[in-house]
């Protein structure tokens, strides 16, 4: 994949990792000078430790994929017909797959919350998308973008309806 990194600090770290000999991109030298690779289990353990919750890198990819889908549905607008909805969902999955570096099928199956797709198919997503413009971008408390705040509202409302 060809990925651009805007953070100079992160770019420097990735370059140092890349310069370590071996097949794995993410590696490090320990205090004794021995080379170690970083695998997905280590990353997921780090995320769990840092977050204090049972989260993994897949959770972050799913969040990113779902947010990208929601943003793209907003750009496309509501469908006029069921056929339009299906076509638009394909366009959205193209954008998400490009964003995440996976296939459309994998993104739809694993990295976009099915509720978002279902609401779009039922032409019920638009009411949420219209709220995005009305939400303050950063209230310095949640750290969420307006799109993420709407996504949280959608998920929380679905959770309440399924529980009650």
């Amino acid at each position: 994949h060809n990925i651009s990194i805007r953070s100079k600090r992160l770019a420097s770290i990735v370059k140092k990792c890349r310069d370590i000999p071996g097949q794995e991109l993410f590696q490090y030298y320990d205090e004794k000078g021995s080379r170690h690779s970083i695998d997905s289990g280590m990353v997921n353990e780090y995320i769990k430790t840092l977050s204090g919750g049972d989260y993994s890198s897949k959770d972050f990819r799913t969040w990113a994929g779902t947010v990208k889908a929601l943003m793209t549905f907003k750009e496309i607008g509501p469908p006029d017909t069921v056929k339009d909805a299906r076509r638009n969902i394909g366009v959205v999955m193209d954008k998400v797959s490009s964003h995440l570096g996976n296939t459309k099928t994998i993104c739809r199956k694993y990295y976009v919350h099915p509720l978002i797709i279902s609401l779009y198919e039922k032409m019920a997503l638009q009411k949420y998308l219209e709220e995005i413009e009305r939400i303050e971008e950063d209230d310095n408390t949640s750290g969420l973008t307006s799109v993420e705040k709407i996504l949280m509202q959608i998920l929380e409302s679905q959770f309440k309806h399924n529980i009650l």
Side-chain angles (χ1 to χ4, degrees), residues 30 72 79 82 92 106 141:
D30 66 17
T72 308
V82 172
V92 168
I106 293 295
T141 58

Side-chain angles (χ1 to χ4, degrees), residues 50-69:
L50 199 62
S51 69
D54 192 22
Y55 301 106
S56 70
S57 57
K58 183 184 183 301
D59 295 308
F60 284 90
R61 287 179 64 76
T62 301
W63 182 259
T66 303
V67 166
K68 183 67 172 179

Side-chain angles (χ1 to χ4, degrees), residues 73 76-93 108 116-124:
F73 279 129
I76 289 175
D80 293 324
T81 65
V82 172
K83 186 177 179 181
D84 285 342
R86 287 189 191 122
R87 182 179 43 78
N88 290 350
I89 290 167
V91 169
V92 168
M93 292 306 119
R108 183 170 179 158
I116 302 304
I117 296 169
S118 175
L119 287 171
Y120 190 78
E121 288 173 327
K122 294 174 185 171
M123 298 182 191

Side-chain angles (χ1 to χ4, degrees), residues 2-162:
N2 214 358
I3 300 171
S4 65
I5 300 175
R6 293 186 186 108
S7 165
K8 289 182 181 182
R9 182 172 178 249
L10 182 57
S12 173
I13 292 168
V14 171
K15 184 178 179 332
K16 287 178 185 174
C17 289
R18 187 187 65 201
D19 291 343
I20 297 173
Q23 293 232 309
E24 298 293 327
L25 172 59
F26 295 107
Q27 320 177 56
Y28 66 96
Y29 289 113
D30 66 17
E31 57 280 345
K32 296 178 183 174
S34 299
R35 183 171 49 94
H36 301 275
S37 63
I38 299 172
D39 63 24
S40 61
M42 295 166 81
V43 170
N44 288 333
E45 188 58 39
Y46 177 77
I47 290 169
K48 286 178 185 179
T49 300
L50 199 62
S51 69
D54 192 22
Y55 301 106
S56 70
S57 57
K58 183 184 183 301
D59 295 308
F60 284 90
R61 287 179 64 76
T62 301
W63 182 259
T66 303
V67 166
K68 183 67 172 179
L70 200 55
M71 289 171 34
T72 308
F73 279 129
K74 183 179 181 334
E75 291 168 12
I76 289 175
D80 293 324
T81 65
V82 172
K83 186 177 179 181
D84 285 342
R86 287 189 191 122
R87 182 179 43 78
N88 290 350
I89 290 167
V91 169
V92 168
M93 292 306 119
D94 278 337
K95 294 269 189 179
V96 172
S97 67
S98 175
H99 182 67
L100 295 180
N102 277 96
T103 66
K104 286 171 41 172
T105 303
I106 293 295
C107 288
R108 183 170 179 158
K109 189 170 182 179
Y110 298 109
Y111 295 120
V112 175
H113 197 289
L115 177 59
I116 302 304
I117 296 169
S118 175
L119 287 171
Y120 190 78
E121 288 173 327
K122 294 174 185 171
M123 298 182 191
L125 188 60
Q126 193 60 30
K127 68 180 182 180
Y128 294 104
L129 297 177
E130 289 169 359
E131 287 295 313
I132 291 173
E133 301 303 321
R134 295 183 208 143
I135 292 181
E136 260 186 61
E137 187 62 34
D138 185 8
D139 58 12
N140 289 324
T141 58
S142 68
L144 298 176
T145 67
S146 56
V147 175
E148 291 173 318
K149 289 175 187 177
I150 290 297
L151 178 54
M152 287 298 296
Q153 286 179 16
I154 293 168
L155 297 174
E156 287 170 349
S157 73
Q158 182 65 25
F159 180 72
K160 287 177 189 174
H161 286 97
N162 284 340

